[in-house]
Amino acid sequence: MDSDPSLRQLLTLVIGSIGLGYLLYGRKQAHAVALGCGVLLMVVPYGISHLPALVAIALLLMVLPFLLHRFLV
């Protein structure tokens, strides 16, 4: 099943924009996990072609800083 290319472009744009937000926040607050997740959120959409996997990985990367802060601090 091939996915719609416009949906893929939209998801890449949204995930990359969220990644930019995480990157800027992590740099300003010196929060290494948010910084790393931001970089990964901007890079991952270019390496994963399967949309459900892309969404799952992106959601995991978005939640990871909160989970680590909640359970490790």
Side-chain angles (χ1 to χ4, degrees):
M1 179 170 94
D2 290 331
S3 61
D4 186 19
S6 60
L7 176 63
R8 173 146 179 80
Q9 285 181 332
L10 178 66
L11 282 175
T12 300
L13 178 69
V14 169
I15 292 169
S17 298
I18 293 170
L20 179 63
Y22 273 71
L23 177 79
L24 294 175
Y25 171 78
R27 195 178 86 195
K28 185 171 179 98
Q29 299 295 324
H31 193 266
V33 175
L35 183 74
C37 285
V39 170
L40 286 174
L41 281 168
M42 289 190 295
V43 172
V44 161
Y46 297 105
I48 299 176
S49 60
H50 191 62
L51 284 183
L54 174 64
V55 171
I57 291 170
L59 287 174
L60 177 70
L61 287 171
M62 287 180 212
V63 174
L64 186 66
F66 299 107
L67 291 177
L68 290 178
H69 179 73
R70 171 95 167 131
F71 293 114
L72 293 180
V73 174

